[in-house]
């Protein structure tokens, strides 16, 4: 799958027809192509969009893409943002245009989506033991010599399963040993001795090639700066020890891969990766943070590393869920028409931000989301709340990963409400 073919696939997205599959879009747009609807530059508030409707800010989206590009460049990091956040090939392409080395993914279906849209470098942040998926990836590697794929290994058993599935593969599969973030953490090898055993198992195959080490510092138990930095130093030391032992005999065009980086501790990753010593081959210092694209108004706003290093800049929340007040049964209660089907709620409830009435907006003072039903937000209101049936209520969201997956086609709106694009997701 070449980049040119991926561009053609993206162009076909714009030729899809707007219809009942896509919630929130104007009913009178049925039958138009996405490109035709975008060309109309309708206004989000007056152009026939129905509530609830999720929108991305065009300006904030571009700000976040550019900010992380500058950050990675300034710190000498390669960047493979985690695509599971958005599962949006249009955003994958924009991330690559903003300097990303490739895209990180988590499961085979996501890899298939990325390949369908021309992504040439994929880091699978998981151990892959499904034989059908492994054979499909082997076929992709055989058909496209420019395709680069690497994934975790975290057990000798996993290596054995991968080797068995890949016996007929034309090219070896590149793997990195995953170092667990600690006892009781998620996946990964728990000790350095076990890491060496997994590396030995890889070396004994003819189907796998060890190219580096990786892990996810966001899983460090009771994470704080001291513990996260300590684990990252273990990861760096593991790479150096493997290199000293001669384990990286053939690492390919990108050199030795050392990878980490969620969206809460990428400053610690930058600090510790800057201390990676000179090894026998060049080092690809690969950061994988993904939530930065849209950022959010809750979880990541509080955890963002830019809070600790404000001189580096600041991400901006790019999502807003527009919902409508459909019931005001008492002075201290109201209900809007968006619920669990529309808004992320796994980390925090949505945040009432702004009320829109007759073309003007005012702050959502005295309005709090207290619960979500399937299709309603429960709102507690105080005497300060200026809220009526029919008002549009703009909600901020927490956790991008579970916001994107509720919407198949997301309007991208400029500050004045002009919708300039539509982002398609594949979950």
């Amino acid at each position: 799958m070449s980049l040119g073919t991926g561009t053609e696939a993206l162009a076909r997205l714009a030729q899809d027809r707007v219809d009942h599959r896509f919630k929130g879009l104007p009913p009178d747009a049925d039958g138009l192509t996405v490109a035709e609807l975008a060309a109309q530059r309708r206004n989000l508030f007056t152009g026939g969009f129905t509530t609830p409707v999720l929108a991305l800010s065009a300006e904030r989206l571009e700000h976040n893409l550019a900010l992380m590009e500058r950050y990675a460049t300034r710190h000498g990091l390669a960047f493979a943002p985690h695509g599971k956040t958005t599962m949006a090939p249009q955003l994958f392409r924009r991330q690559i245009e903003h300097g990303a080395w490739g895209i990180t993914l988590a499961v085979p279906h996501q890899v298939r989506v990325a390949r369908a849209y021309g992504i040439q470098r994929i880091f699978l942040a998981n151990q892959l033991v499904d034989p059908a998926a492994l054979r499909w990836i082997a076929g992709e590697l055989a058909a496209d010599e420019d395709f680069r794929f690497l994934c975790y290994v975290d057990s000798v058993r996993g290596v054995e399963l991968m080797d068995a599935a890949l016996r007929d593969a034309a090219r070896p599969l590149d793997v990195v040993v995953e170092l667990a973030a600690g006892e009781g953490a998620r996946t990964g090898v728990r000790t350095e001795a076990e890491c060496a055993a997994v590396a030995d198992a890889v070396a004994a195959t003819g189907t796998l090639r060890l190219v580096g080490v990786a892990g996810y510092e966001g899983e460090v138990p009771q994470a704080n700066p001291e513990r996260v930095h300590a684990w990252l130093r273990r990861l760096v030391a593991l790479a150096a020890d493997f290199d000293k032992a001669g384990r990286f005999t053939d690492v390919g065009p990108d050199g030795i891969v050392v990878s980490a980086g969620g969206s809460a501790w990428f400053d610690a990753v930058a600090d510790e990766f800057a201390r990676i010593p000179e090894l026998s081959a060049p080092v690809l210092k690969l950061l994988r943070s993904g939530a930065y694209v849209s950022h959010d108004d809750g979880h990541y706003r509080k955890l963002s590393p830019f809070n600790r290093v404000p001189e580096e800049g600041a991400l901006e929340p790019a999502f807003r869920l527009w919902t409508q007040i459909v019931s005001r049964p008492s002075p201290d209660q109201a209900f809007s028409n968006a619920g669990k089907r529309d808004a992320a709620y796994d980390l925090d409830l949505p945040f009432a931000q702004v009320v829109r009435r007759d073309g003007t907006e005012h702050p959502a003072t005295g309005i709090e989301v207290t619960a979500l039903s399937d299709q309603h937000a429960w709102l507690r209101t105080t005497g300060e709340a200026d809220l009526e049936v029919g008002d549009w209520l703009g909600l901020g969201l927490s956790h991008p990963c579970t916001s994107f997956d509720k919407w198949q086609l997301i309007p991208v709106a400029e500050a004045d409400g002009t919708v300039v694009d539509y982002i398609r997701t594949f979950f």
Side-chain angles (χ1 to χ4, degrees):
M1 173 64 68
S2 69
L3 186 63
T5 306
T7 300
E8 294 165 7
L10 286 173
R12 287 195 294 274
L13 284 180
Q15 299 309 308
D16 204 358
R17 297 286 174 179
V18 174
D19 57 24
H20 59 275
R21 291 171 295 166
F22 307 122
K23 57 186 180 179
L25 301 190
D28 67 348
D30 274 15
L32 295 177
T33 67
V34 173
E36 289 168 345
L37 181 56
Q40 291 182 355
R41 296 177 65 85
R42 295 197 187 197
N43 188 278
L44 186 69
F45 307 110
T46 61
F49 292 85
T50 62
T51 57
V53 59
L54 181 69
L56 276 166
S57 162
E59 296 87 354
R60 291 184 170 195
L61 185 64
E62 177 59 28
H63 168 86
N64 293 343
L65 288 164
L67 178 63
M68 284 304 291
E69 178 182 18
R70 292 193 300 270
Y71 183 87
T73 300
R74 187 160 53 245
H75 291 279
L77 299 170
F79 192 27
H82 211 316
K84 72 174 175 60
T85 298
T86 69
M87 284 309 299
Q90 293 152 284
L91 294 180
F92 294 172
R93 179 59 60 86
R94 290 188 65 178
Q95 288 170 312
I96 289 170
E97 290 170 350
H98 278 275
W101 172 89
I103 297 295
T104 296
L105 296 163
V107 293
H109 161 256
Q110 295 170 358
V111 178
R112 292 185 63 197
V113 171
R115 287 298 289 158
Y117 291 92
I119 302 304
Q120 288 292 86
R121 292 173 176 158
I122 293 174
F123 185 109
L124 187 72
N126 232 329
Q127 180 169 252
L128 181 58
V129 294
D130 183 298
L134 285 163
R135 287 192 294 268
W136 176 79
I137 288 169
E140 291 289 295
L141 290 166
D144 183 355
E145 64 180 13
D146 295 324
F147 176 37
R148 181 82 198 275
F149 176 89
L150 56 158
C151 69
Y152 285 170
V153 287
D154 86 341
S155 64
V156 171
R157 172 63 173 163
V159 169
E160 292 169 349
L161 291 170
M162 296 173 77
D163 179 48
L166 293 169
R167 290 289 169 82
D168 297 326
R171 289 168 57 185
L173 187 73
D174 289 345
V175 297
V176 293
V177 172
E178 182 194 6
L179 176 66
E183 286 299 324
R186 202 163 61 188
T187 57
V189 187
R190 292 312 197 242
T191 70
E192 280 74 1
E194 291 173 297
C195 286
V198 173
D200 288 340
V202 170
T205 74
T207 58
L208 304 177
R209 178 171 68 170
L210 182 66
V211 298
V213 299
Y216 175 46
E217 77 290 340
E219 279 290 308
V220 170
Q222 300 175 310
N224 59 30
E226 181 180 357
R227 289 178 178 177
V228 169
H229 278 269
W231 178 82
L232 286 164
R233 286 192 290 272
R234 282 183 63 200
L235 183 68
V236 169
L238 181 64
D241 289 346
F242 273 15
D243 189 51
K244 185 177 180 181
R247 297 188 185 279
F248 299 130
T249 57
D250 176 21
V251 291
D254 292 306
I256 298 168
V257 177
V258 183
S259 179
S263 295
W265 295 102
F266 55 74
D267 58 331
V269 174
D271 288 345
E272 295 302 333
F273 280 15
R275 300 184 177 96
I276 294 175
E278 184 175 345
L279 302 181
S280 62
V283 177
L284 185 74
K285 303 172 183 180
L286 193 61
L287 182 69
R288 306 193 309 270
S289 311
Y292 78 99
V293 178
S294 65
H295 198 45
D296 71 10
D297 281 293
H299 182 73
Y300 286 109
R301 171 171 258 178
K302 290 180 285 189
L303 292 182
S304 172
F306 288 118
N307 295 337
R308 296 187 288 271
V309 285
E311 66 277 8
E312 297 265 19
L315 294 167
E316 297 178 351
F319 268 142
R320 180 164 283 172
L321 176 62
W322 287 99
T323 177
Q324 196 166 23
I325 303 304
V326 293
S327 181
R328 189 82 160 94
S330 68
D332 60 358
Q333 194 172 40
F335 293 87
S336 73
N337 64 345
K340 293 179 181 178
R341 307 294 185 181
D342 314 296
Y345 59 92
D346 56 318
L347 295 179
D348 298 291
L349 290 171
F351 306 88
Q353 294 180 321
V354 64
V355 176
R356 186 177 180 90
R357 180 189 306 153
D358 299 328
T360 62
E361 295 182 2
H362 61 264
T365 306
I367 304 170
E368 179 187 6
V369 179
T370 59
L372 295 178
S373 299
D374 280 354
Q375 302 293 176
H376 291 92
W378 294 60
L379 307 174
R380 179 186 296 128
T381 57
T382 69
E384 299 176 283
D386 180 8
L387 192 66
E388 299 176 357
V389 169
D391 289 347
W392 282 36
L393 178 65
L395 300 176
L397 301 176
S398 184
H399 200 187
C401 299
T402 48
S403 298
F404 277 99
D405 68 3
K406 298 176 184 297
W407 295 84
Q408 292 187 62
L409 196 61
I410 304 172
V412 178
E414 294 180 339
D416 65 358
T418 301
V419 177
V420 296
D421 199 3
Y422 295 84
I423 300 297
R424 183 68 185 269
T425 65
F426 292 87
F427 284 94

